[in-house]
Amino acid sequence: MENLLYFGLLNKWSRAEAKRRAERMMAVLNLTPYAERLTQTLSRGMKQKLAFAIALVNYPHLANA
């Protein structure tokens, strides 16, 4: 979750907005169970999913399609 928050804050969103979007992306991509895990402990596939979530966090309408 920290990664998604970081990229949200880079976009100059409020912390609340960044958290809302990060939680939404994690839910859409089924990453919620891994929210508290360090990135280096994730499998390669989960890291790819996280990278996809980071890319989509700026475009939430694409995740809803």
Side-chain angles (χ1 to χ4, degrees):
M1 172 106 119
E2 294 288 324
N3 287 308
L4 291 171
L5 281 174
Y6 173 74
F7 283 97
L9 294 173
L10 280 179
N11 286 313
K12 299 182 180 173
W13 299 330
S14 68
R15 187 159 187 82
E17 178 66 12
K19 185 175 181 181
R20 185 185 67 77
R21 287 187 183 214
E23 288 173 347
R24 175 72 179 130
M25 277 301 116
M26 292 190 72
V28 167
L29 295 174
N30 297 321
L31 288 170
T32 306
Y34 306 96
E36 300 303 319
R37 291 181 61 183
L38 296 174
T39 304
Q40 65 244 28
T41 66
L42 297 174
S43 68
R44 186 174 184 174
M46 294 309 287
K47 287 178 184 176
Q48 290 175 339
K49 220 178 205 189
L50 176 60
F52 189 59
I54 289 169
L56 283 181
V57 79
N58 295 319
Y59 306 100
H61 60 280
L62 293 177
N64 295 328

